[in-house]
Structure formats: C-alpha cells, structure tokens
Amino acid sequence: MIRGAVALFKEKGFHRTTTREIAKEAGFSIGTLYEYIRTKEDVLYLVCDSIYEEVLERLSALPTQAGTLEGLKIAIRHYYLLVDEMQDEFIVMYQESKSLSKDELNYVLNKELEMVAIFENILHACRKSGECKLSEDAVKLAAHHLVVQGQMWAFRRWGLHHDIKIEEFIKVQTTFFLQGIQGNGGKA
Amino acid sequence: MIRGAVALFKEKGFHRTTTREIAKEAGFSIGTLYEYIRTKEDVLYLVCDSIYEEVLERLSALPTQAGTLEGLKIAIRHYYLLVDEMQDEFIVMYQESKSLSKDELNYVLNKELEMVAIFENILHACRKSGECKLSEDAVKLAAHHLVVQGQMWAFRRWGLHHDIKIEEFIKVQTTFFLQGIQGNGGKA
Amino acid sequence: MIRGAVALFKEKGFHRTTTREIAKEAGFSIGTLYEYIRTKEDVLYLVCDSIYEEVLERLSALPTQAGTLEGLKIAIRHYYLLVDEMQDEFIVMYQESKSLSKDELNYVLNKELEMVAIFENILHACRKSGECKLSEDAVKLAAHHLVVQGQMWAFRRWGLHHDIKIEEFIKVQTTFFLQGIQGNGGKA
Amino acid sequence: MIRGAVALFKEKGFHRTTTREIAKEAGFSIGTLYEYIRTKEDVLYLVCDSIYEEVLERLSALPTQAGTLEGLKIAIRHYYLLVDEMQDEFIVMYQESKSLSKDELNYVLNKELEMVAIFENILHACRKSGECKLSEDAVKLAAHHLVVQGQMWAFRRWGLHHDIKIEEFIKVQTTFFLQGIQGNGGKA
DNA sequence: AATGAATGAGATTTCATTCAT
DNA sequence: GATGAATGAAATCTCATTCAT
C-alpha cells in the first residue's frame, strides 16, 4: 500500500490523491483500506515513517571507518546514492509532511534529526581524530548542510540532472564539503 | 490580497485554505475575489510570482563589485538576510508551488533559475578575475548550492534557529562556501 | 425547511432520513442546506426547538381564568387539541430527541419542563383557591400526568383513534383527571 | 446477546450501535452473530420481543383476585415495579420499535395490546362485580391510561426520580387512578 | 461451527465557482 | 462594480453483510 501511495503522492500530491485511488493502487477496496488506517492522514504518516525507516536503516548499515575522512566520504556517497535511488520518496517526504498533524510532524522531524545525527557523529569522530578542523559548534550545522545538499539532488532534479550525473555530482559536492570543513576560510 | 494569502498558505497550506478565507483576509467578498482571479490556483500563481518578483528585485538592486570576493560576500549576505526576512514567503513558495499547473510551474521554475543565474554571474565574474578557482562547469552547481543553503535557513528553522542566530549562520556558511570554491579539495 | 424535515422524520425517522432528502424537501440544494446548518443534528435541534416554541406559544396564549376548574378544563382542552393537531410533530419530538447531543437534549428537556410548569401553575392556583384537593407535593406529578395523557393521544393513535374520537377522548380524560385530583381516594 | 444489545441500544440507540459492537458485547464474532440473525433489524425485533415476553410473563403470573379493587391494586403495583426494574428495557422498547419493519412493528404492537388487555380484563371484572363505575366503553381507554402511567416512570425519570421515589409514585398514582374510575366526575 | 477480512453502497460534509441582484 | 446565496461535484469515512478458510 505504501509503495502505491508514494507513487500517487509523487504524481499528484497528497491532497489531490483520493482515498479511493490509494485503495485501488494498493489493490483492495476502500473498505479494506480503512481496516488498516483510521484517516487519510494515517497513510501520509505511514508513508513518511516507512521512508525514514528505510533511509535510516540503510545509512546505519554503513561500514564505519570511524574518524577518517575516508569513512566520511563513503557515508556521503552512500547517502547521495540513496537520495538518487529514492528521489520520489524524498520529494514526497519533504513536500507533504507539512500536512501531518502536530504530533506526527514532531515524530517525523525527530527522524530527520536522527538522520542529521548520523553525520554529526561521523563529523565528531573526524574532529576528535583531527581529520577535520570544524569547531565543536559547527558540527551540527555542517551535518545539516550535508543532509540538505543531498536532498538538493532530488528537489532540483529539474535544474541539475541534465547538466550533471549523479557520480559527478557526488564527486563535486564531496570535494566541496571537504574543503568547507578543512580549509582556512578562503583567506589564504 | 497576496500578503493575506501568503499568511494563510503559511498557516494552513494552499489546499486547506478556502477561497472564502482568502477573500475575507483580503477584505473583499468572494464575488470580488473572482473579479481578480479565474481559479484558486491563480492565487497561488500570483503569490509565487510576487514573491519571486520581490526577491529578484531586491537581489538585483545589489551594489555590484563585479569579480571580487567582497562583492560575492555582500551578495550572499543580502540573500540570506532576505531569506530570514521572508521566511514565510520562502516556505510557501517551495512547499506549495507543486500545486501549480505545468505551465505555471515552468514559469515559476524559470524565476528560480533567474535567481540562480544572479549568483552564477557573480561566480563567473570571480572566476574570470581569478578570485575563485571554480571550473567553468562547476559554477552552475555552486550557484544552486548557494541558493539552497539560503533556503535551508527557512526550511530548517525548527532545527537551526535555537542553536544559531542569523548573523552567525551567515558568517559560517559564507566561510564554508568560500573555502569550498577556493580550497584544494581537502587534499593538502 | 423545518416543516419538511418534520414530515420526513415522521415518515422515516431521523436516522433514515438523509440530508439530501431534507434539502430536496425544503426545495433547495444540499449545498444551500449547509448554509443554514452545520450538521444534520442541527436540523433535529431546530425541529424540536420550533415545535416546542409553537406548543408553548399556543399554550401561553390561553385566556387564563386563574384558580378555577373551568380554567383548568379549558387549558386541558386546548392542550389536547394541540396534540391532536400536531400529532406528527409530537411523535417526532419525543421519539427522536434522544439523538440530540447532551447540551441540546438538556435545552429541549427544559422546554418540556416549561410545558409541565404551565399546568403546575394552573393547578397551584386551583389549590390555593380550594378548587382542588391536591397536596402541594402532588401538584408537579399531576402536571406531568396531565402532559403525558395528552401525548398518549399521539403515541397511541394506532390503539385509540378507531375506538374513540378526540372530543370524546378529551371529555373522558378531563373527567378522569378532575376526579383524580378531587376525589377521596376511592375509599368512600 | 439480547441483554448486551439492550444495554447498547439504551446507551447509544439502535442506529448508533454497530453489529460489531453487538457481537462483541455478546461474546462472539460478527460471523457468528449472523448465524443467529439475518439483518441488524432482527436484533431489535428479538430485543423487543424478549422484553414483551418477560413483561407479559411476569404480569400473567399475578395472583388474581378477580373482580376486587385489591386485585387491581396488586396488579398496578406489580406492573409499576416491573417498569422500575426494567427501565432500560422499557425505554429501548418504546424509543426504538419505530425502526422495525411494518410487519414486525405490528407484531410488537399486538404484544403491547396484550399488555393492555391484561388490565382491561381486570377492569372488566371490577366493573362486573360493581367495584368500579367505569362504563363498558371507558374500560379500554382506562387500561391504556394505566399502562402509559407506568411507562411514564421510565420515560420521565429525568423529571421525576429526584422528586419522588417509586413506592410513593405507586401510591399516588394508584390513588389517582382509583379516584378516576370511581369518582363522580368532580361534580360533587 | 466459527471466524474476521473484505466489500462497496451510501451517508455527511466541504468548497470552488457562478450569477442574479 | 460588488455581493453573497446558491449550486452540486467530489471527498472522506462507516458499517451491514458476505464468504473463503
């Protein structure tokens, strides 16, 4: 059901997708759909939750080379490939989550923070091992920065994909980021 | 009318805002609203268009110090302050524009590209003057990068604003970006 | 609208009557119906309220011969004729009011008490003038008794109307009631 | 099952009670419920029927002192106590029976007439023995009167129970009724 | 015999849009 | 020009009933 709903939400947005369409796409009747959910919003919640689960699971499964730039590069690469692979899901997740109820939105934003935290941890490790020059305070922002750069690949597909391919994108952005966290502030 | 609509869209989203509410907020009747627009979607289009107009106008009004890093810094600063000032507008613009019709969306995405182009031009100038080391190909991506980083301030307010203030954010991000476009790829 | 709704509720009951039917019967569209009401239950509330208003108004308009049995008889007669005339309304009022919300039900029960109070006042006056032998405590119950006897004409039409006509009914019940409040307890 | 259904109907009314709830309350599955009934309305029919059966059975079990006022008093007392004990059942029976199909409603109204007939018979006996002065024609109406007065205890609990207790109610109403059927029309 | 997942007709309610005044 | 009452298509959600297991 969730796969089908993602596809529909991607195509028409949450509000323009009807519960009947969701049911049909999932292969059962409207009545059966409502055996599994209570309200239409539940579908959105399930969709967002399941996407985050998959993303977090796959990011957590990374071989950790704690504290090395190499490990960071691998993590970035994994994440960017994930965004590439799950473009539709990422777009739905960020464009529609605003329609969740307050509680559900908070829950989902926490998942987002978990995602950010994965990179925070990697950056902290690099900081401790001296492989990057970020200040303690800058780590969190850098992690957000990294996460947003990945999402950019999904959100700006219309402006990027016909100029550059994913591998090149990863390479450029990774270089960019590493310079950002290592350079001397552009003053040398 | 547009101001009122932005406020409503921000609060409840485009779909949950009724035309009655838009008319009321604007201070005239539903009948009169339909003297100005043809469909509800027109309101969204007008909103997006007006926001882009304002952003582009204010960005274009920059004192250009073509080809210097100083000029780039000033432009970044202006843009980020603009995002800060127009947070609601930015959020609405990017979260709701998906509800536009194909044609309208294309029109709006062109405006977005104009915005990107402003930074592309600045970066090109810096490249020519030798003040930055970006390759020709990398300029466009870097401009997107810059634009997205600014939007981040609006979209991630929930995760950023209580950790960092706008001035500090501008400083860190500017440094970051300048290192990114000048450094040696983190290999030194 | 209210007249139409009473007819429908009488025929099919509140729950089996659809909002579309109510709108159609009232001569406007479903959309227009919802300009006047917020929920279907509002229709029931309006119906009950309007019936009570009419009943109370017509009962209050009685020429009062305070404190005489003659005045009491006139009141009873008026009330019974009212029940006869508004049979459908009485049946709807008492059979469907249970579907009102707690607050609305309380409001409606208060109207019922007002109706009872009209007879309480008449009986109190008779008591003071010595025209009836009821004890102070028995007045309220006697008033309820009277009101219920009237309703009986509407509720038991299936069992009564082909044995007895309204005028005869009024005569017998009035006699009955007057004996009840004047007799010596059946012990003479 | 019937006990559970009465409780549910009392609490929420027939229409607001779902078949799932009826099954659950009865302790078996919805599938099994439909082994015993054909439609939801059957439940209502069974409920009404079973209540009437119980009422009639218990009223018939009275020690008959045919033709005496004492016997009549005992019958009234039994009936009123029955109403008190089975308040919920009485309320459901009279408020929901309108939802029965025509045939079922007729069947149920016949049971109601049987109930009335019990009192008719007692009153006829009293008439023949000279213990009451009712005319032949008035007997049926008096019986209805008596039955309705008892129901009043259930239907008007909200207006009566905190002013008067059941024993006092029985006493007053019995006296009232006996005066009604014995007095001289309030003309003495 | 018992179960409960599946069905889908049908109910309430909303709201963009029109048009007579 | 301005209004807002009226419209009705369309959306969400419920629930009596069935039937394969």
Side-chain angles (χ1 to χ4, degrees):
Chain A
M1 180 197 85
I2 290 172
R3 293 285 155 223
V6 169
L8 288 167
F9 292 170
K10 175 65 213 329
E11 190 192 331
K12 332 173 61 175
F14 174 67
H15 281 103
R16 288 205 209 286
T17 303
T18 68
T19 50
R20 293 194 123 79
E21 286 169 328
I22 295 169
K24 193 172 195 181
E25 188 80 11
F28 35 64
S29 69
I30 182 69
T32 305
L33 177 66
Y34 276 88
E35 292 285 320
Y36 295 97
I37 59 165
R38 234 171 18 84
T39 69
K40 186 185 173 189
E41 206 177 73
D42 285 353
V43 180
L44 183 56
Y45 173 75
L46 287 174
V47 161
C48 288
D49 189 46
S50 102
I51 298 174
Y52 271 117
E53 282 307 318
E54 181 168 352
V55 170
L56 286 172
E57 192 184 349
R58 289 173 65 169
L59 279 185
S60 303
L62 282 182
T64 48
Q65 305 187 4
T68 67
L69 286 185
E70 211 46 46
L72 175 60
K73 281 184 187 173
I74 291 174
I76 294 176
R77 183 180 166 72
H78 264 262
Y79 172 55
Y80 281 32
L81 287 173
L82 201 58
V83 173
D84 185 51
E85 205 179 313
M86 298 176 71
Q87 278 174 57
D88 287 355
E89 283 84 353
F90 268 80
I91 290 177
V92 166
M93 195 160 70
Y94 290 108
Q95 289 207 327
E96 307 294 355
S97 62
K98 70 173 193 309
S99 297
L100 292 171
S101 75
K102 219 165 185 305
D103 282 354
E104 288 170 333
L105 181 58
N106 278 336
Y107 178 84
V108 159
L109 288 182
N110 271 333
K111 296 264 178 178
E112 179 74 18
L113 284 180
E114 279 182 51
M115 210 162 94
V116 174
I118 288 175
F119 289 103
E120 267 183 82
N121 290 336
I122 295 174
L123 290 172
H124 266 303
C126 289
R127 214 180 80 81
K128 277 185 189 147
S129 69
E131 295 241 3
C132 87
K133 299 178 183 167
L134 283 173
S135 74
E136 175 94 38
D137 292 349
V139 165
K140 184 183 275 188
L141 181 54
H144 273 284
H145 191 119
L146 204 49
V147 167
V148 168
Q149 285 312 312
Q151 292 164 6
M152 180 169 124
W153 183 248
F155 284 113
R156 304 225 146 200
R157 60 209 306 192
W158 51 269
L160 296 175
H161 290 207
H162 78 117
D163 287 337
I164 188 172
K165 294 302 157 209
I166 180 64
E167 286 296 346
E168 179 70 7
F169 180 76
I170 293 173
K171 199 174 120 197
V172 176
Q173 292 294 86
T174 303
T175 304
F176 207 105
F177 185 74
L178 290 179
Q179 282 171 195
I181 63 175
Q182 286 206 309
N184 53 10
K187 279 166 196 146
Chain B
M1 179 196 87
I2 290 171
R3 293 283 156 225
V6 169
L8 289 169
F9 292 171
K10 175 67 210 327
E11 191 192 329
K12 330 172 59 176
F14 173 68
H15 280 102
R16 291 203 209 285
T17 302
T18 68
T19 50
R20 280 166 155 85
E21 287 169 325
I22 295 169
K24 190 174 193 181
E25 188 81 9
F28 35 69
S29 71
I30 182 70
T32 306
L33 177 65
Y34 272 84
E35 294 289 322
Y36 295 89
I37 59 166
R38 234 170 17 83
T39 69
K40 185 186 172 189
E41 208 176 73
D42 286 352
V43 180
L44 182 57
Y45 172 75
L46 288 173
V47 161
C48 288
D49 190 45
S50 104
I51 298 174
Y52 272 117
E53 282 309 318
E54 183 170 351
V55 171
L56 287 172
E57 190 182 350
R58 290 174 65 170
L59 279 186
S60 304
L62 282 181
T64 48
Q65 304 187 5
T68 67
L69 286 187
E70 212 45 47
L72 175 59
K73 280 184 188 174
I74 291 174
I76 294 176
R77 183 180 167 73
H78 265 263
Y79 172 56
Y80 281 31
L81 287 174
L82 202 58
V83 172
D84 186 50
E85 206 181 312
M86 298 176 71
Q87 278 174 55
D88 286 356
E89 284 84 354
F90 269 80
I91 289 176
V92 166
M93 196 161 69
Y94 290 108
Q95 289 207 324
E96 307 294 355
S97 62
K98 71 176 192 306
S99 297
L100 291 170
S101 74
K102 219 165 186 307
D103 283 353
E104 289 170 332
L105 182 58
N106 278 335
Y107 177 85
V108 159
L109 288 183
N110 272 332
K111 295 265 178 178
E112 178 76 17
L113 284 180
E114 281 183 49
M115 210 163 90
V116 174
I118 288 176
F119 290 102
E120 268 184 80
N121 290 338
I122 296 174
L123 290 172
H124 266 304
C126 289
R127 214 181 79 82
K128 278 182 189 151
S129 70
E131 296 242 3
C132 85
K133 300 178 182 165
L134 283 172
S135 72
E136 176 93 38
D137 293 348
V139 165
K140 183 183 276 190
L141 181 54
H144 274 285
H145 189 120
L146 206 47
V147 167
V148 168
Q149 286 311 312
Q151 293 163 6
M152 177 169 128
W153 182 248
F155 284 113
R156 303 226 147 198
R157 58 208 312 193
W158 54 268
L160 295 175
H161 290 208
H162 77 119
D163 287 336
I164 189 172
K165 296 301 157 209
I166 180 65
E167 286 296 346
E168 179 71 7
F169 180 76
I170 292 174
K171 201 176 116 194
V172 176
Q173 292 294 86
T174 304
T175 304
F176 207 106
F177 185 74
L178 291 180
Q179 281 172 193
I181 64 175
Q182 286 206 308
N184 53 10
K187 278 164 198 151
Chain C
M1 181 198 85
I2 289 171
R3 293 283 156 227
V6 169
L8 288 168
F9 292 171
K10 174 66 213 327
E11 190 191 330
K12 331 172 61 175
F14 173 68
H15 281 102
R16 288 204 210 286
T17 303
T18 69
T19 50
R20 294 194 123 78
E21 288 169 327
I22 295 170
K24 194 173 195 180
E25 188 79 10
F28 35 65
S29 70
I30 182 69
T32 304
L33 177 65
Y34 275 87
E35 292 284 321
Y36 296 97
I37 59 164
R38 236 170 19 82
T39 68
K40 186 186 173 189
E41 205 177 73
D42 285 353
V43 180
L44 183 56
Y45 173 75
L46 288 173
V47 161
C48 288
D49 190 46
S50 102
I51 297 174
Y52 271 117
E53 282 307 319
E54 182 169 351
V55 170
L56 286 172
E57 193 183 348
R58 289 173 66 170
L59 279 186
S60 304
L62 281 182
T64 48
Q65 305 187 4
T68 68
L69 285 186
E70 210 46 46
L72 175 60
K73 279 184 188 173
I74 291 174
I76 294 176
R77 183 179 165 73
H78 265 262
Y79 172 55
Y80 281 31
L81 287 174
L82 201 59
V83 173
D84 186 49
E85 205 180 313
M86 299 176 71
Q87 278 173 56
D88 287 355
E89 284 84 353
F90 269 79
I91 290 176
V92 165
M93 194 160 69
Y94 290 107
Q95 289 206 326
E96 306 295 354
S97 63
K98 70 174 193 308
S99 297
L100 292 170
S101 74
K102 218 166 186 308
D103 282 353
E104 289 171 332
L105 181 59
N106 278 336
Y107 177 84
V108 159
L109 289 183
N110 271 332
K111 296 263 177 179
E112 178 75 18
L113 284 181
E114 280 182 51
M115 210 162 94
V116 174
I118 288 176
F119 290 102
E120 267 183 82
N121 290 336
I122 295 174
L123 290 173
H124 265 303
C126 290
R127 213 180 81 82
K128 278 184 189 149
S129 70
E131 295 241 3
C132 86
K133 299 178 184 165
L134 282 173
S135 73
E136 175 92 38
D137 292 350
V139 165
K140 184 183 276 190
L141 180 55
H144 273 284
H145 190 117
L146 204 49
V147 167
V148 168
Q149 286 313 311
Q151 293 163 6
M152 179 169 126
W153 182 248
F155 284 113
R156 304 225 146 200
R157 60 209 306 191
W158 52 268
L160 296 175
H161 290 207
H162 77 117
D163 288 336
I164 188 171
K165 295 303 157 208
I166 180 65
E167 287 296 346
E168 179 70 8
F169 180 76
I170 292 173
K171 198 175 122 198
V172 175
Q173 291 294 87
T174 303
T175 304
F176 206 105
F177 185 74
L178 290 180
Q179 282 172 194
I181 64 175
Q182 287 206 308
N184 55 8
K187 276 163 200 148
Chain D
M1 179 197 87
I2 289 171
R3 293 284 156 224
V6 169
L8 288 168
F9 292 171
K10 174 68 209 327
E11 191 192 328
K12 330 173 58 174
F14 174 66
H15 280 102
R16 289 203 209 287
T17 302
T18 67
T19 50
R20 282 166 153 84
E21 287 169 324
I22 295 168
K24 192 173 192 182
E25 189 80 9
F28 37 67
S29 71
I30 182 70
T32 306
L33 178 65
Y34 273 84
E35 295 289 322
Y36 295 90
I37 58 166
R38 232 171 20 82
T39 70
K40 186 187 173 188
E41 207 176 73
D42 286 353
V43 179
L44 183 57
Y45 173 75
L46 287 174
V47 161
C48 288
D49 190 45
S50 102
I51 298 174
Y52 272 117
E53 283 308 318
E54 181 169 351
V55 170
L56 288 172
E57 190 183 349
R58 290 174 64 171
L59 280 185
S60 305
L62 283 182
T64 48
Q65 306 187 4
T68 67
L69 286 186
E70 212 45 47
L72 174 60
K73 280 183 188 175
I74 290 174
I76 293 176
R77 183 181 166 73
H78 265 263
Y79 172 55
Y80 280 31
L81 287 174
L82 201 58
V83 173
D84 186 50
E85 204 181 312
M86 298 175 72
Q87 278 175 56
D88 287 356
E89 284 83 353
F90 269 81
I91 290 176
V92 165
M93 196 160 71
Y94 290 108
Q95 290 207 323
E96 307 295 354
S97 62
K98 69 176 193 307
S99 297
L100 292 170
S101 73
K102 219 165 187 307
D103 284 353
E104 288 170 332
L105 181 59
N106 278 335
Y107 177 85
V108 159
L109 289 181
N110 272 331
K111 295 265 178 177
E112 178 76 17
L113 285 181
E114 281 183 48
M115 210 163 90
V116 174
I118 289 176
F119 290 101
E120 269 183 80
N121 290 336
I122 295 174
L123 289 172
H124 266 304
C126 289
R127 213 179 80 83
K128 278 181 190 150
S129 70
E131 295 243 3
C132 85
K133 301 178 183 166
L134 284 172
S135 72
E136 175 94 37
D137 291 349
V139 166
K140 183 183 275 190
L141 181 55
H144 272 285
H145 190 119
L146 204 48
V147 167
V148 167
Q149 286 311 312
Q151 292 164 6
M152 178 169 127
W153 182 249
F155 283 114
R156 304 226 146 197
R157 59 208 309 193
W158 52 268
L160 296 176
H161 289 208
H162 76 118
D163 288 334
I164 189 172
K165 296 303 157 208
I166 180 65
E167 286 296 346
E168 179 70 8
F169 180 76
I170 292 173
K171 200 175 119 195
V172 176
Q173 292 294 87
T174 303
T175 303
F176 206 106
F177 185 75
L178 290 180
Q179 283 171 191
I181 63 176
Q182 286 205 307
N184 54 9
K187 277 164 200 149

